[in-house]
Amino acid sequence: MFNIERWQEIFDTIRKNKLRTFLTGLSVASGIFILVVLLGVGQGMQNGISKEFEDDASNSIWVWTRPTSVEYKGLNPGRMFTLTNDDYDFIQRKHKDQIEFQSSRVRIWSAVVSHKKESGSYSIEGIFPDFQLIENEDMVSGRYINQNDIEERGKVAIIGYKIKKDLFKTIEDPTGLFIQLNNIPFKVVGVYSDKGGEREEDRVFIPSTTAQQVFNRGQTISNLSYTLQPEDNFEATVAKSEEFVASMTAYLKSKHVIAPEDERAIGVNNSLENAKRFYALIFMIKAFFWWVGVCTIIAGVVGVSNIMLIIVKERTKEIGIRKALGAYPISIIGMILHEAIFVTAIAGFTGLIGGLLLLELVGPFVETEFIANPSVNFNVALTTVIILILAGAIAGFFPAWRAARIRPIVALRDE
Amino acid sequence: MIEITDLHKSYQMGSNSLHVLKGINFKVSQGELVSIMGSSGSGKSTFLNILGMLDEADQGSYTLDGVQIKNLNEKIAARYRNKFLGFIFQSFNLITYKNAIDNVGLPLYYQGLKRKERNERAMHYLEKVGLADWATHLPNELSGGQKQRVAIARALASDPKVLLADEPTGALDTKTSYEVMELIQGINDEGKTILIVTHEPDIAQMTKRIVNLKDGLIIDDRRVEQVRAKSYV
């Protein structure tokens, strides 16, 4: 490999056969190019989809109610029911060890929110302190709802950054100022922002207890949200969360007299399960891309192998001469193999760099919902390089083996 | 130098077996210049191939410079060829994309010599055949006679015990043939053992000994008065 004489031999051969070498390399270069671009796009899809999940904690579970769909114990289908504080407390007690964060939510849709002359229609949500972590909210200023607010049923509000812009206009920090929620004054104690963007920032958060009292909700709540303690690995976490969801829905069904087979009455969104599905999808897509890419490389390798076979045929006489002059079979194998690896490696690197350049130059401009910043990381590049060297060796092996078996007497026979 | 006893060789041609060499006994000592003659089909090329270790005999013994040549695997054959033999072919068999000096240096490459030393020695042999000025030319820029001289220089480069020439003048005109023969005679004068396969009587007359092959047997083996090629040039 590091024999300088051998390298000189190979450069000699390549220099004398530029077109042939170029054509040989082209198929490999395009194969690697396609593989790198595909892998980049695969990574981009993963980035894009991961981003979709970023706005909420990716292991959150949401529970809400819908009309029942099955007749049960003399109760007609289509019956509405509501969750209550009892449900929330019971689940909290029962699954204390499993739950990481939890919050119930009392939702008042389209309430009038105003500050001085400015007003708008936003939704009000009565929540617990943990809700910040479930929804992944960042504080722009002030603080979030705390336990004290819950216990004192304080008339405090956290507003979204969008509402702050709408109502407070130029005021930099509205904390300490008052807003009217359906004409009831609340003190603003914080402003939050959400990675999900403006559509997630048009809500006003107040303590759950306050919401039930002030807006006459009694003991009812609109929905429940949880995150669970993570397990050692993703699979176990998903399994645990599914178990949690099953146990919880079973309880709610028996409590609210709902048929066990009624799939509609209790809505559950387990984002872990969704995430799992998406990751499985991404994995499939990535596997498919690898497969396509590797097939392309195999096509390239077969091409190189083919061309090398023709080269061997073409150089039969030369190989015969070399053997007559005392070349060992191993040196003939080495010569052909070395050339094949060298050509595939150089061509492959050209394709690799071409693909990386394309991703580097075009990647940042690709910004659709499902593809974000397509790129290839170092490990993948390294893998492709190893594939390349292997490909070269495989491409060269059969022609080289054939070349080594050429008998000089046959090769040198005058036609 | 060369000692051959009871050499047999046959080829399988489908279901038929073609007996090409039928028991050849042959001896060459150091410094001889021998021509092997015979009509086509007499087995002279096969004989030369066996001498050149490009082919193996079915039966009989072959000793070259005291070394028994038998049961050769490819590797040993390659080493012996490189060490003992220099080949000169009718169609020159130069490597077309290598210039004269690299062609001459090729056997030395397979001896594992470094480029610098290879080039020095190759240059020395090119000078010897009078082509020092053509060292960097490719074969297709050379005339037939020049190509054969390069081939001779290449055959000499590894300083072999024996030179084997298969119709070395077969592709050349008479004048050039004599020039090449003059060169070969000169090399022989320096003590190199040379075997030439030819079917041209005038070329054979320029050697010191003529061996006639017919139907796989030596029918005639005689020493001749050598005609110096120089007198024709």
Side-chain angles (χ1 to χ4, degrees), chain A residues 287-307:
Chain A
F288 178 71
F289 282 174
W290 267 103
W291 189 71
V292 170
V294 168
C295 282
T296 318
I297 291 178
I298 288 173
V301 167
V302 170
V304 173
S305 208
N306 233 326
I307 293 171

mmCIF file with all atom_site columns, all heavy atoms in Angstrom, chain A residues 287-307:
data_model
loop_
_atom_site.group_PDB
_atom_site.id
_atom_site.type_symbol
_atom_site.label_atom_id
_atom_site.label_alt_id
_atom_site.label_comp_id
_atom_site.label_asym_id
_atom_site.label_entity_id
_atom_site.label_seq_id
_atom_site.pdbx_PDB_ins_code
_atom_site.Cartn_x
_atom_site.Cartn_y
_atom_site.Cartn_z
_atom_site.occupancy
_atom_site.B_iso_or_equiv
_atom_site.pdbx_formal_charge
_atom_site.auth_seq_id
_atom_site.auth_comp_id
_atom_site.auth_asym_id
_atom_site.auth_atom_id
_atom_site.pdbx_PDB_model_num
ATOM 1   N N   . ALA A 1 287 ? -33.883 3.895  6.396   1.00 0.00 ? 287 ALA A N   1
ATOM 2   C CA  . ALA A 1 287 ? -33.439 2.566  5.949   1.00 0.00 ? 287 ALA A CA  1
ATOM 3   C C   . ALA A 1 287 ? -33.630 2.446  4.445   1.00 0.00 ? 287 ALA A C   1
ATOM 4   O O   . ALA A 1 287 ? -32.757 1.940  3.735   1.00 0.00 ? 287 ALA A O   1
ATOM 5   C CB  . ALA A 1 287 ? -34.228 1.482  6.679   1.00 0.00 ? 287 ALA A CB  1
ATOM 6   N N   . PHE A 1 288 ? -34.753 2.970  3.984   1.00 0.00 ? 288 PHE A N   1
ATOM 7   C CA  . PHE A 1 288 ? -35.025 2.914  2.550   1.00 0.00 ? 288 PHE A CA  1
ATOM 8   C C   . PHE A 1 288 ? -33.982 3.707  1.773   1.00 0.00 ? 288 PHE A C   1
ATOM 9   O O   . PHE A 1 288 ? -33.469 3.265  0.754   1.00 0.00 ? 288 PHE A O   1
ATOM 10  C CB  . PHE A 1 288 ? -36.430 3.459  2.288   1.00 0.00 ? 288 PHE A CB  1
ATOM 11  C CG  . PHE A 1 288 ? -36.798 3.501  0.839   1.00 0.00 ? 288 PHE A CG  1
ATOM 12  C CD1 . PHE A 1 288 ? -37.040 2.317  0.154   1.00 0.00 ? 288 PHE A CD1 1
ATOM 13  C CD2 . PHE A 1 288 ? -36.869 4.696  0.157   1.00 0.00 ? 288 PHE A CD2 1
ATOM 14  C CE1 . PHE A 1 288 ? -37.365 2.347  -1.190  1.00 0.00 ? 288 PHE A CE1 1
ATOM 15  C CE2 . PHE A 1 288 ? -37.194 4.737  -1.183  1.00 0.00 ? 288 PHE A CE2 1
ATOM 16  C CZ  . PHE A 1 288 ? -37.446 3.559  -1.857  1.00 0.00 ? 288 PHE A CZ  1
ATOM 17  N N   . PHE A 1 289 ? -33.659 4.887  2.301   1.00 0.00 ? 289 PHE A N   1
ATOM 18  C CA  . PHE A 1 289 ? -32.654 5.722  1.636   1.00 0.00 ? 289 PHE A CA  1
ATOM 19  C C   . PHE A 1 289 ? -31.307 5.016  1.590   1.00 0.00 ? 289 PHE A C   1
ATOM 20  O O   . PHE A 1 289 ? -30.610 5.039  0.584   1.00 0.00 ? 289 PHE A O   1
ATOM 21  C CB  . PHE A 1 289 ? -32.520 7.074  2.342   1.00 0.00 ? 289 PHE A CB  1
ATOM 22  C CG  . PHE A 1 289 ? -33.618 8.039  1.998   1.00 0.00 ? 289 PHE A CG  1
ATOM 23  C CD1 . PHE A 1 289 ? -33.725 9.254  2.641   1.00 0.00 ? 289 PHE A CD1 1
ATOM 24  C CD2 . PHE A 1 289 ? -34.559 7.721  1.024   1.00 0.00 ? 289 PHE A CD2 1
ATOM 25  C CE1 . PHE A 1 289 ? -34.735 10.147 2.323   1.00 0.00 ? 289 PHE A CE1 1
ATOM 26  C CE2 . PHE A 1 289 ? -35.571 8.594  0.691   1.00 0.00 ? 289 PHE A CE2 1
ATOM 27  C CZ  . PHE A 1 289 ? -35.654 9.808  1.354   1.00 0.00 ? 289 PHE A CZ  1
ATOM 28  N N   . TRP A 1 290 ? -30.940 4.407  2.712   1.00 0.00 ? 290 TRP A N   1
ATOM 29  C CA  . TRP A 1 290 ? -29.684 3.644  2.738   1.00 0.00 ? 290 TRP A CA  1
ATOM 30  C C   . TRP A 1 290 ? -29.720 2.571  1.677   1.00 0.00 ? 290 TRP A C   1
ATOM 31  O O   . TRP A 1 290 ? -28.767 2.358  0.931   1.00 0.00 ? 290 TRP A O   1
ATOM 32  C CB  . TRP A 1 290 ? -29.469 2.987  4.110   1.00 0.00 ? 290 TRP A CB  1
ATOM 33  C CG  . TRP A 1 290 ? -28.661 3.812  5.049   1.00 0.00 ? 290 TRP A CG  1
ATOM 34  C CD1 . TRP A 1 290 ? -29.129 4.546  6.100   1.00 0.00 ? 290 TRP A CD1 1
ATOM 35  C CD2 . TRP A 1 290 ? -27.245 3.996  5.038   1.00 0.00 ? 290 TRP A CD2 1
ATOM 36  N NE1 . TRP A 1 290 ? -28.097 5.167  6.725   1.00 0.00 ? 290 TRP A NE1 1
ATOM 37  C CE2 . TRP A 1 290 ? -26.929 4.852  6.099   1.00 0.00 ? 290 TRP A CE2 1
ATOM 38  C CE3 . TRP A 1 290 ? -26.210 3.520  4.220   1.00 0.00 ? 290 TRP A CE3 1
ATOM 39  C CZ2 . TRP A 1 290 ? -25.626 5.240  6.380   1.00 0.00 ? 290 TRP A CZ2 1
ATOM 40  C CZ3 . TRP A 1 290 ? -24.926 3.906  4.500   1.00 0.00 ? 290 TRP A CZ3 1
ATOM 41  C CH2 . TRP A 1 290 ? -24.643 4.767  5.567   1.00 0.00 ? 290 TRP A CH2 1
ATOM 42  N N   . TRP A 1 291 ? -30.854 1.898  1.631   1.00 0.00 ? 291 TRP A N   1
ATOM 43  C CA  . TRP A 1 291 ? -30.986 0.786  0.710   1.00 0.00 ? 291 TRP A CA  1
ATOM 44  C C   . TRP A 1 291 ? -30.821 1.256  -0.726  1.00 0.00 ? 291 TRP A C   1
ATOM 45  O O   . TRP A 1 291 ? -30.072 0.689  -1.516  1.00 0.00 ? 291 TRP A O   1
ATOM 46  C CB  . TRP A 1 291 ? -32.355 0.127  0.931   1.00 0.00 ? 291 TRP A CB  1
ATOM 47  C CG  . TRP A 1 291 ? -32.533 -1.148 0.203   1.00 0.00 ? 291 TRP A CG  1
ATOM 48  C CD1 . TRP A 1 291 ? -31.915 -2.333 0.481   1.00 0.00 ? 291 TRP A CD1 1
ATOM 49  C CD2 . TRP A 1 291 ? -33.361 -1.372 -0.929  1.00 0.00 ? 291 TRP A CD2 1
ATOM 50  N NE1 . TRP A 1 291 ? -32.323 -3.283 -0.418  1.00 0.00 ? 291 TRP A NE1 1
ATOM 51  C CE2 . TRP A 1 291 ? -33.213 -2.720 -1.294  1.00 0.00 ? 291 TRP A CE2 1
ATOM 52  C CE3 . TRP A 1 291 ? -34.221 -0.555 -1.659  1.00 0.00 ? 291 TRP A CE3 1
ATOM 53  C CZ2 . TRP A 1 291 ? -33.877 -3.273 -2.366  1.00 0.00 ? 291 TRP A CZ2 1
ATOM 54  C CZ3 . TRP A 1 291 ? -34.890 -1.120 -2.720  1.00 0.00 ? 291 TRP A CZ3 1
ATOM 55  C CH2 . TRP A 1 291 ? -34.723 -2.457 -3.073  1.00 0.00 ? 291 TRP A CH2 1
ATOM 56  N N   . VAL A 1 292 ? -31.552 2.353  -1.051  1.00 0.00 ? 292 VAL A N   1
ATOM 57  C CA  . VAL A 1 292 ? -31.444 2.898  -2.407  1.00 0.00 ? 292 VAL A CA  1
ATOM 58  C C   . VAL A 1 292 ? -29.992 3.312  -2.682  1.00 0.00 ? 292 VAL A C   1
ATOM 59  O O   . VAL A 1 292 ? -29.416 2.985  -3.722  1.00 0.00 ? 292 VAL A O   1
ATOM 60  C CB  . VAL A 1 292 ? -32.379 4.115  -2.592  1.00 0.00 ? 292 VAL A CB  1
ATOM 61  C CG1 . VAL A 1 292 ? -32.094 4.824  -3.897  1.00 0.00 ? 292 VAL A CG1 1
ATOM 62  C CG2 . VAL A 1 292 ? -33.824 3.675  -2.545  1.00 0.00 ? 292 VAL A CG2 1
ATOM 63  N N   . GLY A 1 293 ? -29.399 4.015  -1.718  1.00 0.00 ? 293 GLY A N   1
ATOM 64  C CA  . GLY A 1 293 ? -28.033 4.493  -1.894  1.00 0.00 ? 293 GLY A CA  1
ATOM 65  C C   . GLY A 1 293 ? -27.055 3.354  -2.085  1.00 0.00 ? 293 GLY A C   1
ATOM 66  O O   . GLY A 1 293 ? -26.215 3.384  -2.982  1.00 0.00 ? 293 GLY A O   1
ATOM 67  N N   . VAL A 1 294 ? -27.197 2.342  -1.249  1.00 0.00 ? 294 VAL A N   1
ATOM 68  C CA  . VAL A 1 294 ? -26.265 1.219  -1.330  1.00 0.00 ? 294 VAL A CA  1
ATOM 69  C C   . VAL A 1 294 ? -26.459 0.469  -2.647  1.00 0.00 ? 294 VAL A C   1
ATOM 70  O O   . VAL A 1 294 ? -25.493 0.055  -3.285  1.00 0.00 ? 294 VAL A O   1
ATOM 71  C CB  . VAL A 1 294 ? -26.430 0.290  -0.107  1.00 0.00 ? 294 VAL A CB  1
ATOM 72  C CG1 . VAL A 1 294 ? -25.699 -1.020 -0.319  1.00 0.00 ? 294 VAL A CG1 1
ATOM 73  C CG2 . VAL A 1 294 ? -25.896 0.980  1.142   1.00 0.00 ? 294 VAL A CG2 1
ATOM 74  N N   . CYS A 1 295 ? -27.725 0.361  -3.073  1.00 0.00 ? 295 CYS A N   1
ATOM 75  C CA  . CYS A 1 295 ? -27.974 -0.282 -4.366  1.00 0.00 ? 295 CYS A CA  1
ATOM 76  C C   . CYS A 1 295 ? -27.300 0.508  -5.488  1.00 0.00 ? 295 CYS A C   1
ATOM 77  O O   . CYS A 1 295 ? -26.719 -0.071 -6.406  1.00 0.00 ? 295 CYS A O   1
ATOM 78  C CB  . CYS A 1 295 ? -29.472 -0.386 -4.644  1.00 0.00 ? 295 CYS A CB  1
ATOM 79  S SG  . CYS A 1 295 ? -30.230 -1.725 -3.734  1.00 0.00 ? 295 CYS A SG  1
ATOM 80  N N   . THR A 1 296 ? -27.387 1.828  -5.383  1.00 0.00 ? 296 THR A N   1
ATOM 81  C CA  . THR A 1 296 ? -26.745 2.660  -6.401  1.00 0.00 ? 296 THR A CA  1
ATOM 82  C C   . THR A 1 296 ? -25.246 2.404  -6.412  1.00 0.00 ? 296 THR A C   1
ATOM 83  O O   . THR A 1 296 ? -24.623 2.293  -7.470  1.00 0.00 ? 296 THR A O   1
ATOM 84  C CB  . THR A 1 296 ? -27.015 4.150  -6.104  1.00 0.00 ? 296 THR A CB  1
ATOM 85  O OG1 . THR A 1 296 ? -28.364 4.294  -5.718  1.00 0.00 ? 296 THR A OG1 1
ATOM 86  C CG2 . THR A 1 296 ? -26.728 4.993  -7.313  1.00 0.00 ? 296 THR A CG2 1
ATOM 87  N N   . ILE A 1 297 ? -24.678 2.300  -5.198  1.00 0.00 ? 297 ILE A N   1
ATOM 88  C CA  . ILE A 1 297 ? -23.242 2.045  -5.117  1.00 0.00 ? 297 ILE A CA  1
ATOM 89  C C   . ILE A 1 297 ? -22.916 0.667  -5.685  1.00 0.00 ? 297 ILE A C   1
ATOM 90  O O   . ILE A 1 297 ? -21.930 0.501  -6.407  1.00 0.00 ? 297 ILE A O   1
ATOM 91  C CB  . ILE A 1 297 ? -22.750 2.157  -3.661  1.00 0.00 ? 297 ILE A CB  1
ATOM 92  C CG1 . ILE A 1 297 ? -22.840 3.615  -3.217  1.00 0.00 ? 297 ILE A CG1 1
ATOM 93  C CG2 . ILE A 1 297 ? -21.311 1.679  -3.539  1.00 0.00 ? 297 ILE A CG2 1
ATOM 94  C CD1 . ILE A 1 297 ? -22.427 3.837  -1.805  1.00 0.00 ? 297 ILE A CD1 1
ATOM 95  N N   . ILE A 1 298 ? -23.794 -0.300 -5.382  1.00 0.00 ? 298 ILE A N   1
ATOM 96  C CA  . ILE A 1 298 ? -23.549 -1.645 -5.923  1.00 0.00 ? 298 ILE A CA  1
ATOM 97  C C   . ILE A 1 298 ? -23.542 -1.582 -7.448  1.00 0.00 ? 298 ILE A C   1
ATOM 98  O O   . ILE A 1 298 ? -22.666 -2.159 -8.096  1.00 0.00 ? 298 ILE A O   1
ATOM 99  C CB  . ILE A 1 298 ? -24.610 -2.636 -5.401  1.00 0.00 ? 298 ILE A CB  1
ATOM 100 C CG1 . ILE A 1 298 ? -24.358 -2.913 -3.914  1.00 0.00 ? 298 ILE A CG1 1
ATOM 101 C CG2 . ILE A 1 298 ? -24.567 -3.934 -6.201  1.00 0.00 ? 298 ILE A CG2 1
ATOM 102 C CD1 . ILE A 1 298 ? -25.423 -3.737 -3.252  1.00 0.00 ? 298 ILE A CD1 1
ATOM 103 N N   . ALA A 1 299 ? -24.510 -0.828 -7.997  1.00 0.00 ? 299 ALA A N   1
ATOM 104 C CA  . ALA A 1 299 ? -24.528 -0.667 -9.455  1.00 0.00 ? 299 ALA A CA  1
ATOM 105 C C   . ALA A 1 299 ? -23.205 -0.067 -9.920  1.00 0.00 ? 299 ALA A C   1
ATOM 106 O O   . ALA A 1 299 ? -22.612 -0.525 -10.906 1.00 0.00 ? 299 ALA A O   1
ATOM 107 C CB  . ALA A 1 299 ? -25.700 0.213  -9.867  1.00 0.00 ? 299 ALA A CB  1
ATOM 108 N N   . GLY A 1 300 ? -22.733 0.933  -9.168  1.00 0.00 ? 300 GLY A N   1
ATOM 109 C CA  . GLY A 1 300 ? -21.452 1.550  -9.507  1.00 0.00 ? 300 GLY A CA  1
ATOM 110 C C   . GLY A 1 300 ? -20.319 0.554  -9.427  1.00 0.00 ? 300 GLY A C   1
ATOM 111 O O   . GLY A 1 300 ? -19.450 0.504  -10.300 1.00 0.00 ? 300 GLY A O   1
ATOM 112 N N   . VAL A 1 301 ? -20.346 -0.253 -8.378  1.00 0.00 ? 301 VAL A N   1
ATOM 113 C CA  . VAL A 1 301 ? -19.275 -1.233 -8.169  1.00 0.00 ? 301 VAL A CA  1
ATOM 114 C C   . VAL A 1 301 ? -19.277 -2.267 -9.287  1.00 0.00 ? 301 VAL A C   1
ATOM 115 O O   . VAL A 1 301 ? -18.222 -2.632 -9.817  1.00 0.00 ? 301 VAL A O   1
ATOM 116 C CB  . VAL A 1 301 ? -19.441 -1.914 -6.791  1.00 0.00 ? 301 VAL A CB  1
ATOM 117 C CG1 . VAL A 1 301 ? -18.555 -3.136 -6.694  1.00 0.00 ? 301 VAL A CG1 1
ATOM 118 C CG2 . VAL A 1 301 ? -19.097 -0.935 -5.693  1.00 0.00 ? 301 VAL A CG2 1
ATOM 119 N N   . VAL A 1 302 ? -20.492 -2.708 -9.650  1.00 0.00 ? 302 VAL A N   1
ATOM 120 C CA  . VAL A 1 302 ? -20.579 -3.666 -10.755 1.00 0.00 ? 302 VAL A CA  1
ATOM 121 C C   . VAL A 1 302 ? -20.017 -3.029 -12.019 1.00 0.00 ? 302 VAL A C   1
ATOM 122 O O   . VAL A 1 302 ? -19.284 -3.665 -12.782 1.00 0.00 ? 302 VAL A O   1
ATOM 123 C CB  . VAL A 1 302 ? -22.042 -4.119 -10.956 1.00 0.00 ? 302 VAL A CB  1
ATOM 124 C CG1 . VAL A 1 302 ? -22.173 -4.919 -12.237 1.00 0.00 ? 302 VAL A CG1 1
ATOM 125 C CG2 . VAL A 1 302 ? -22.493 -4.948 -9.771  1.00 0.00 ? 302 VAL A CG2 1
ATOM 126 N N   . GLY A 1 303 ? -20.333 -1.739 -12.186 1.00 0.00 ? 303 GLY A N   1
ATOM 127 C CA  . GLY A 1 303 ? -19.786 -1.013 -13.335 1.00 0.00 ? 303 GLY A CA  1
ATOM 128 C C   . GLY A 1 303 ? -18.272 -1.009 -13.325 1.00 0.00 ? 303 GLY A C   1
ATOM 129 O O   . GLY A 1 303 ? -17.623 -1.325 -14.324 1.00 0.00 ? 303 GLY A O   1
ATOM 130 N N   . VAL A 1 304 ? -17.704 -0.664 -12.170 1.00 0.00 ? 304 VAL A N   1
ATOM 131 C CA  . VAL A 1 304 ? -16.245 -0.622 -12.047 1.00 0.00 ? 304 VAL A CA  1
ATOM 132 C C   . VAL A 1 304 ? -15.670 -2.004 -12.315 1.00 0.00 ? 304 VAL A C   1
ATOM 133 O O   . VAL A 1 304 ? -14.697 -2.174 -13.054 1.00 0.00 ? 304 VAL A O   1
ATOM 134 C CB  . VAL A 1 304 ? -15.827 -0.140 -10.647 1.00 0.00 ? 304 VAL A CB  1
ATOM 135 C CG1 . VAL A 1 304 ? -14.321 -0.257 -10.480 1.00 0.00 ? 304 VAL A CG1 1
ATOM 136 C CG2 . VAL A 1 304 ? -16.263 1.284  -10.426 1.00 0.00 ? 304 VAL A CG2 1
ATOM 137 N N   . SER A 1 305 ? -16.314 -3.012 -11.723 1.00 0.00 ? 305 SER A N   1
ATOM 138 C CA  . SER A 1 305 ? -15.843 -4.377 -11.868 1.00 0.00 ? 305 SER A CA  1
ATOM 139 C C   . SER A 1 305 ? -15.843 -4.770 -13.344 1.00 0.00 ? 305 SER A C   1
ATOM 140 O O   . SER A 1 305 ? -14.885 -5.350 -13.853 1.00 0.00 ? 305 SER A O   1
ATOM 141 C CB  . SER A 1 305 ? -16.751 -5.306 -11.067 1.00 0.00 ? 305 SER A CB  1
ATOM 142 O OG  . SER A 1 305 ? -16.058 -6.444 -10.656 1.00 0.00 ? 305 SER A OG  1
ATOM 143 N N   . ASN A 1 306 ? -16.937 -4.405 -14.010 1.00 0.00 ? 306 ASN A N   1
ATOM 144 C CA  . ASN A 1 306 ? -17.068 -4.683 -15.429 1.00 0.00 ? 306 ASN A CA  1
ATOM 145 C C   . ASN A 1 306 ? -15.957 -4.039 -16.235 1.00 0.00 ? 306 ASN A C   1
ATOM 146 O O   . ASN A 1 306 ? -15.311 -4.669 -17.063 1.00 0.00 ? 306 ASN A O   1
ATOM 147 C CB  . ASN A 1 306 ? -18.413 -4.104 -15.891 1.00 0.00 ? 306 ASN A CB  1
ATOM 148 C CG  . ASN A 1 306 ? -19.224 -5.143 -16.590 1.00 0.00 ? 306 ASN A CG  1
ATOM 149 O OD1 . ASN A 1 306 ? -18.659 -5.997 -17.256 1.00 0.00 ? 306 ASN A OD1 1
ATOM 150 N ND2 . ASN A 1 306 ? -20.525 -5.078 -16.440 1.00 0.00 ? 306 ASN A ND2 1
ATOM 151 N N   . ILE A 1 307 ? -15.762 -2.752 -15.943 1.00 0.00 ? 307 ILE A N   1
ATOM 152 C CA  . ILE A 1 307 ? -14.753 -2.020 -16.696 1.00 0.00 ? 307 ILE A CA  1
ATOM 153 C C   . ILE A 1 307 ? -13.366 -2.578 -16.398 1.00 0.00 ? 307 ILE A C   1
ATOM 154 O O   . ILE A 1 307 ? -12.543 -2.743 -17.294 1.00 0.00 ? 307 ILE A O   1
ATOM 155 C CB  . ILE A 1 307 ? -14.848 -0.510 -16.394 1.00 0.00 ? 307 ILE A CB  1
ATOM 156 C CG1 . ILE A 1 307 ? -16.163 0.012  -16.954 1.00 0.00 ? 307 ILE A CG1 1
ATOM 157 C CG2 . ILE A 1 307 ? -13.683 0.231  -16.990 1.00 0.00 ? 307 ILE A CG2 1
ATOM 158 C CD1 . ILE A 1 307 ? -16.497 1.420  -16.566 1.00 0.00 ? 307 ILE A CD1 1
#
